[in-house]
Amino acid sequence: MNHVITEQEKLQAPVNQQVSFESGNEMAAKAAAQINYHIMGYFPITPSTEIAQYLDQMKAKGEHDIKLIPADGEHGSAGICYGASVSGARVFNATSANGFLFMLEQLPVQSGTRFPMVLNLVTRAVSGPLDIRGDHSDLYFALNTGWVILTANTPQAVYDLNIMALKVAEHRDVRLPVIVAYDGFFTSHQKRKVLSFKDREVVTEFVGERPADFPNAIDKNNPVTIGAHMNGDDLIHNNYQQSQAMYHADKVFEEIQEEYEKLSGRSYPTIETYAMEDAEAAVFLINSAAETAKDVVDRYRKQGKKVGVITPNMIRPFPKEAMKEALKNVKAVLVGERADSYGANGANMTLEIKSALQELSGAQPVVLSRVFGVGGKDFYEQDAEVFFDDALEAAETSVAAKPFDYHGIHAGDKKQRLLPVIEPQTGSFDTGLIKVTHDAETDQLKVKVPPLRQLMSKPKRIASGHGACPGCGIFPGLELFFKGIEGDVMVLFQTGCGYVVSAAYPHTSHKQTFIHNLFQNGAATLSGTVEAFYEIKRRGEVEIGDDFTFVMVTGDGGMDIGMGSAIGTSLRNHGMIIVEYDNEGYMNTGSQQSYSTPIGHMTSTSNVGKNQKGKAFHHKDTPQIMAATNIPYVFTGTEAYPQDLIKKAAKAQWYAKHEGLVYGKLLITCPLNWKSEERYGQRIIKAAVDSCFFPLYEVEKGKTTITYNPEAKNKREPVSEWLKYLGKAKHMLKPEHEQLYRAFEIEVDKRWNRLKAKHECEYL
């Protein structure tokens, strides 16, 4: 059933609706705003991030009252949502790919304790390797979470199913959380003509009042225990009840969609069939690919070929009876899936369809399984033609020539293989110009650094040709830091701008060994590399003269979601360096606020409008947090003060090789998302230092030393001198935001004065 809106349908719609041109993410946000959920706990990840952005924009305009809570990671966002749901609140969330997997352990807790909510899963390939485009590898991890799963082919379906999802979740016979899944980029970002209700009241009346007759955590007259430990004798009954509720969701959804059809004029049965009345060969596809296949059905039907398409609106519970009915007269069905179930000779839907067909009496259709479109690989009409042709051949021969296969693969051509453009560099990073000596009597390091021009002969660690934005401060800052590092390095980048612009297969900008791992686990990963290296070396299995310096590079909010891993690594005190480039936001996903974003600053999830004034809370002081773990050395630095940074890099290397873990924070510019001019990069960073917003200091074995004091040099500036360069913060300098500016100024002064006290007294 293809939801293309015609003028006739618009006129026939029972309730007044408006036509617009929207994407799936916009429609998910619109549905959430019209429902007016109580809480959304969220964390940005492509391609679902836009939903929170749209809702924040609406919030700034006063279009809804949802409390938007920015989490420290997807695991945290799932916890926020669960905590809100046990209070009886209506709760909403959105995520994708590895973000979904990061919250995965929380999801069975929510379904097993029977607290409803709605989660939009904007499907995307699961790493690794990293691919931010859409397939269903994340969706298939959802199948065993105990959540009801609805699937949406189009932006129209995203809107409609989101409205129905909450009503399903809260139904007395279900009481389970619901996922609405739709294809990343194909549906999430592509705009289509859609209908939506003009008046929010239509949606709120359809959804109904929040159920108040179920146990919750805030009913003080009826205290409850939620999530008590169970043994097997009890758990089997809990699981049985949950299982029954899941199967009830099938009938409940059918009832609700019939009610919704009367309201909207649009129908969503558990499975949609297209030209299946007399089909001999069928193709089963989830979500957007089915829309492409329908066009091929129209052409093949004109040629006399009896083909049809089946696509589900629900896959949990699996619509077994509807599937049996749709396929009972079909000779062959090809199941196309955007993910594999490795080693199972067919992906998840293939196995479930085969299971359902086992219950048919008489001859059963031949089932073919094809994995296609992983990592967002496009699905064109010619691809659908191959699927139909394979299904027609199986229908004619009653045999599956290839029961399981991948579609869209091809053998590589050795003649076309890429050759290295830059020779690997080793040994050329030793200049002998930097001298670090340890004074045993004072237990202090003495560092001798030559003039900067003498270090310019040192090769860059990162080659040109990367894809960073003009004016990006990441690589100038890192390269300057690396000028202070002698010898060979092994570098791990967490996910972020620095990674995605420098290592896009089959190309890399890294001249020495480079590793990538996800936001939340970079520090732990590199700590394993460090310990494995020294253990292999200790056993004599490898001979290396001069050891590597191990460096983890993080940024774009990586010290939010990765904070736990970093602290654990710090407490274990591995011999490595963590360098954070701080661009004050999650820039790689579109400039969302992070915990390092200063108060009042505008991001795509801390908009400025009549109802809010940018980020609502102060930025995290990460160097102080890391110093509290008692690691040997912590520092801050910027490219605006190069000698200071190079000297600290040299110290960092010595401590990493001799005493343990080092953490350093570099403030770097992001002209695109700071809304600043590219040419002012160094001036902006200098103003941040001179205003004492970003002081330059080090904490060496617990002793704090300010390495540049603008007050002592009579160069201190008010923070307004920094903010005036930033489009994201200029509103703070307007008279109507004087209170906000003053709060920021007071916090900067407080942190600076506290730092000066630590500088003066080593016991603070």
Side-chain angles (χ1 to χ4, degrees):
M1 184 174 182
N2 196 345
H3 296 301
V4 176
I5 299 151
T6 65
E7 289 301 314
Q8 184 179 6
E9 285 177 321
K10 180 184 172 186
L11 292 172
Q12 290 177 345
V15 175
N16 192 15
Q17 300 180 56
Q18 59 190 1
V19 175
S20 57
F21 200 62
E22 313 277 1
S23 68
N25 283 348
E26 288 172 310
M27 295 308 286
K30 179 176 285 190
Q34 289 185 329
I35 292 170
N36 203 26
Y37 284 91
H38 295 95
I39 297 290
M40 180 185 186
Y42 70 93
F43 188 81
I45 183 170
T46 305
S48 61
T49 303
E50 283 189 331
I51 299 172
Q53 292 176 189
Y54 291 134
L55 284 168
D56 191 80
Q57 291 168 9
M58 295 178 191
K59 182 74 178 280
K61 298 174 186 175
E63 295 179 11
H64 64 78
D65 299 319
I66 303 171
K67 176 71 173 179
L68 302 171
I69 304 176
D72 60 319
E74 289 88 357
H75 196 272
S77 79
I80 290 167
C81 290
Y82 181 59
S85 67
V86 302
S87 299
R90 282 178 163 168
V91 183
F92 182 75
N93 199 356
T95 193
S96 301
N98 290 75
F100 181 73
L101 267 61
F102 191 31
M103 64 171 65
L104 196 63
E105 74 164 3
Q106 180 66 69
L107 303 186
V109 176
Q110 182 137 6
S111 58
T113 51
R114 307 288 294 281
F115 287 98
M117 67 165 283
V118 175
L119 167 68
N120 277 247
L121 178 58
V122 186
T123 61
R124 187 190 111 181
V126 169
S127 303
L130 181 70
D131 187 311
I132 66 166
R133 294 167 296 176
D135 66 24
H136 294 160
S137 50
D138 53 1
L139 173 60
Y140 282 1
F141 276 97
L143 295 174
N144 291 329
T145 59
W147 289 48
V148 176
I149 303 174
L150 308 179
T151 50
N153 290 8
T154 64
Q156 182 67 67
V158 171
Y159 175 76
D160 295 332
L161 290 175
N162 262 281
I163 293 172
M164 287 186 275
L166 181 60
K167 193 160 185 172
V168 172
E170 292 181 343
H171 194 281
R172 178 172 294 275
D173 294 336
V174 180
R175 297 291 297 176
L176 289 171
V178 177
I179 289 169
V180 178
Y182 56 96
D183 290 348
F185 293 107
F186 296 116
T187 304
S188 64
H189 285 63
Q190 292 179 5
K191 292 180 180 284
R192 296 275 291 272
K193 187 187 288 186
V194 293
L195 281 173
S196 60
F197 299 111
K198 283 188 175 180
D199 299 320
R200 172 188 288 176
E201 289 73 19
V202 173
V203 175
T204 56
E205 287 177 15
F206 175 79
V207 173
E209 293 291 328
R210 175 177 68 91
D213 56 343
F214 287 90
N216 65 69
I218 60 173
D219 184 353
K220 65 179 182 179
N221 295 321
N222 296 286
V224 294
T225 296
I226 297 169
H229 166 74
M230 286 184 179
N231 60 27
D233 292 339
D234 295 313
L235 185 61
I236 194 168
H237 295 106
N238 187 89
N239 291 4
Y240 175 75
Q241 292 168 9
Q242 184 179 346
S243 174
Q244 291 297 101
M246 177 66 78
Y247 291 118
H248 289 156
D250 190 324
K251 181 181 177 182
V252 168
F253 176 73
E254 284 284 10
E255 293 172 353
I256 289 173
Q257 77 89 17
E258 288 174 6
E259 181 185 350
Y260 189 77
E261 183 180 7
K262 295 174 183 176
L263 182 71
S264 67
R266 295 181 292 279
S267 173
Y268 293 89
T270 53
I271 64 167
E272 292 184 3
T273 58
Y274 189 79
M276 285 295 298
E277 296 80 8
D278 61 344
E280 296 180 353
V283 170
F284 173 95
L285 296 164
I286 295 177
N287 284 350
S288 60
E291 301 302 302
T292 301
K294 290 172 185 177
D295 293 332
V296 177
V297 168
D298 293 340
R299 285 196 287 105
Y300 272 35
R301 281 282 174 172
K302 291 177 182 178
Q303 299 170 21
K305 298 176 182 178
K306 294 183 178 181
V307 296
V309 174
I310 300 171
T311 185
N313 286 313
M314 170 183 275
I315 59 172
R316 274 296 177 272
F318 185 74
K320 181 184 71 172
E321 295 303 323
M323 192 64 63
K324 287 162 56 179
E325 180 65 26
L327 292 173
K328 65 182 180 180
N329 296 319
V330 169
K331 295 180 180 179
V333 56
L334 185 146
V335 184
E337 303 190 67
R338 287 189 182 269
D340 196 356
S341 180
Y342 298 111
N345 296 297
N348 295 78
M349 293 297 104
T350 298
L351 303 180
E352 300 199 9
I353 289 172
K354 283 183 176 180
S355 176
L357 293 178
Q358 288 293 311
E359 298 181 9
L360 288 177
S361 59
Q364 296 175 8
V366 178
V367 180
L368 301 90
S369 178
R370 297 291 182 268
V371 174
F372 77 100
V374 299
K377 186 174 173 64
D378 286 320
F379 183 70
Y380 297 109
E381 287 191 15
Q382 53 265 40
D383 299 306
E385 289 172 2
V386 173
F387 283 6
F388 283 115
D389 290 344
D390 286 352
L392 285 166
E393 180 184 353
E396 183 177 347
T397 62
S398 299
V399 174
K402 283 189 176 181
F404 170 69
D405 201 4
Y406 270 62
H407 171 75
I409 59 171
H410 57 84
D413 183 351
K414 290 184 178 180
K415 295 179 182 178
Q416 300 297 320
R417 69 187 181 96
L418 294 177
L419 299 175
V421 176
I422 299 173
E423 288 296 321
Q425 290 184 273
T426 181
S428 57
F429 296 102
D430 286 305
T431 65
L433 297 172
I434 298 173
K435 303 293 184 184
V436 181
T437 55
H438 178 248
D439 188 324
E441 288 188 14
T442 63
D443 198 24
Q444 298 291 310
L445 295 184
K446 295 180 179 179
V447 182
K448 182 180 179 183
V449 176
L452 187 59
R453 65 179 179 274
Q454 288 187 251
L455 292 174
M456 288 301 99
S457 60
K458 197 174 199 176
K460 290 185 176 181
R461 306 273 183 173
I462 300 166
S464 58
H466 56 71
C469 299
C472 171
I474 295 174
F475 296 110
L478 289 177
E479 286 289 8
L480 188 61
F481 168 79
F482 281 128
K483 290 288 187 243
I485 303 292
E486 295 280 87
D488 297 318
V489 299
M490 185 179 293
V491 181
L492 180 145
F493 274 56
Q494 286 182 307
T495 308
C497 289
Y499 158 61
V500 298
V501 303
S502 64
Y505 182 83
H507 303 286
T508 181
S509 295
H510 298 272
K511 296 180 180 180
Q512 294 198 293
T513 297
F514 163 85
I515 308 166
H516 164 253
N517 203 2
L518 305 171
F519 260 135
Q520 59 268 29
N521 218 19
T525 301
L526 192 61
S527 73
T529 305
V530 169
E531 297 306 325
F533 169 77
Y534 286 115
E535 181 61 18
I536 291 170
K537 185 180 178 182
R538 184 188 69 80
R539 297 185 184 192
E541 297 172 14
V542 65
E543 291 186 12
I544 293 180
D546 188 24
D547 293 341
F548 294 102
T549 298
F550 295 88
V551 182
M552 186 194 97
V553 178
T554 182
D556 298 286
M559 289 299 283
D560 291 346
I561 189 172
M563 196 79 212
S565 175
I567 288 177
T569 302
S570 299
L571 294 172
R572 297 190 302 269
N573 199 32
H574 301 277
M576 53 184 273
I577 303 170
I578 297 176
V579 178
E580 177 186 8
Y581 61 82
D582 183 11
N583 48 19
E584 300 184 342
Y586 302 128
M587 301 314 186
N588 63 303
T589 51
S591 183
Q592 296 80 29
Q593 64 174 312
S594 77
Y595 289 178
S596 69
T597 306
I599 192 172
H601 286 221
M602 181 176 67
T603 70
S604 60
T605 52
S606 59
N607 284 278
V608 176
K610 65 178 182 179
N611 278 33
Q612 61 185 41
K613 302 172 183 178
K615 184 166 178 261
F617 53 94
H618 289 296
H619 59 290
K620 179 169 65 178
D621 197 341
T622 315
Q624 289 297 306
I625 295 172
M626 296 300 288
T629 65
N630 294 314
I631 55 178
Y633 189 53
V634 172
F635 70 90
T636 64
T638 75
E639 62 170 311
Y641 292 88
Q643 291 290 119
D644 176 80
L645 178 55
I646 291 171
K647 185 176 181 180
K648 289 171 178 173
K651 277 189 173 184
Q653 183 175 32
W654 190 94
Y655 277 115
K657 287 199 169 188
H658 293 88
E659 296 200 9
L661 194 135
V662 172
Y663 167 80
K665 186 185 188 81
L666 313 181
L667 183 66
I668 61 98
T669 53
C670 179
L672 177 66
N673 294 312
W674 287 13
K675 297 176 174 57
S676 60
E677 292 191 48
E678 300 160 15
R679 59 190 174 129
Y680 290 146
Q682 196 169 79
R683 187 183 300 180
I684 292 170
I685 296 301
K686 188 175 185 302
V689 174
D690 289 344
S691 67
C692 296
F693 165 76
F694 190 82
L696 299 181
Y697 67 97
E698 60 189 8
V699 183
E700 194 170 357
K701 295 183 177 179
K703 185 178 185 302
T704 299
T705 303
I706 295 172
T707 58
Y708 171 77
N709 187 334
E711 288 180 339
K713 296 180 179 294
N714 293 318
K715 291 185 177 181
R716 183 167 183 187
E717 299 176 344
V719 289
S720 58
E721 286 298 304
W722 176 53
L723 297 180
K724 73 179 184 181
Y725 291 106
L726 312 178
K728 67 168 183 163
K730 279 186 176 180
H731 63 280
M732 295 176 66
L733 303 179
K734 295 180 180 179
E736 60 266 32
H737 296 298
E738 182 179 356
Q739 188 175 355
L740 177 64
Y741 171 78
R742 182 62 183 149
F744 180 52
E745 188 177 52
I746 289 171
E747 183 66 20
V748 169
D749 283 343
K750 185 191 300 181
R751 296 189 189 191
W752 171 242
N753 288 328
R754 187 181 296 132
L755 191 66
K756 286 193 295 183
K758 290 182 176 184
H759 173 84
E760 292 165 4
C761 178
E762 64 177 295
Y763 298 109
L764 291 179

